[in-house]
């Protein structure tokens, strides 16, 4: 019942977001990137040339940066879990308040 309240569902969505962000930080943006372009060169009184450019690149992390990124992701998850627990607690308190009001 408590997990159906708007605040708890919002906090749970925040937890899902924190987990996704932790995954992004762990993976990093260090994939291979391939890009290319073409240009046409015109020479007066001569031949027109097609030029092609292809580029392959990969970013790198400085030593220790990967561990820091993973730790930041873990801390984000811990914070989101704490917020989710607090939202459940607040929903429980509200339910108890409504219940005791009804009993009175």
């Amino acid at each position: 019942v408590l997990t159906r309240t708007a605040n708890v569902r919002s906090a749970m969505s925040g937890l899902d977001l924190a987990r996704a962000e932790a995954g992004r930080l762990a993976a990093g943006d260090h994939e291979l990137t391939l890009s290319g372009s073409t240009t046409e060169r015109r020479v007066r009184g001569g031949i027109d040339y097609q030029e092609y450019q292809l580029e392959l690149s990969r970013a790198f992390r400085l030593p220790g940066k990967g561990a820091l990124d993973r730790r930041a992701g873990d801390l984000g998850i811990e914070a989101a879990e704490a917020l989710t627990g607090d939202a459940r607690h607040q929903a429980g308190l509200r339910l108890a308040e409504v219940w005791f009001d009804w009993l009175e």
Side-chain angles (χ1 to χ4, degrees):
V1 173
L2 297 180
T3 58
R4 293 182 186 167
T5 63
N7 289 342
V8 174
R9 287 180 26 204
S10 176
M12 290 172 72
S13 293
L15 180 56
D16 290 340
L17 179 64
R19 287 180 178 143
E21 178 67 11
R24 185 191 69 77
L25 286 170
D29 55 353
H30 311 296
E31 300 296 322
L32 291 175
T33 304
L34 180 65
S35 61
S37 64
T38 63
T39 57
E40 185 174 324
R41 183 184 301 249
R42 297 179 182 260
V43 179
R44 288 187 194 167
I47 302 172
D48 293 346
Y49 296 96
Q50 283 287 346
E51 294 181 351
Y52 303 95
Q53 180 178 345
L54 193 61
E55 181 179 311
L56 181 64
S57 62
R58 182 178 187 272
F60 66 93
R61 285 184 180 167
L62 295 174
K65 177 74 165 81
L68 290 174
D69 286 345
R70 286 186 293 280
R71 181 68 180 137
D74 292 343
L75 290 174
I77 290 173
E78 286 180 30
E81 287 172 341
L83 289 174
T84 301
D86 185 53
R88 281 191 183 117
H89 178 73
Q90 293 300 323
L93 290 176
R94 179 68 183 132
L95 179 63
E97 179 183 329
V98 170
W99 172 253
F100 286 120
D101 285 348
W102 183 80
L103 287 176
E104 287 179 350

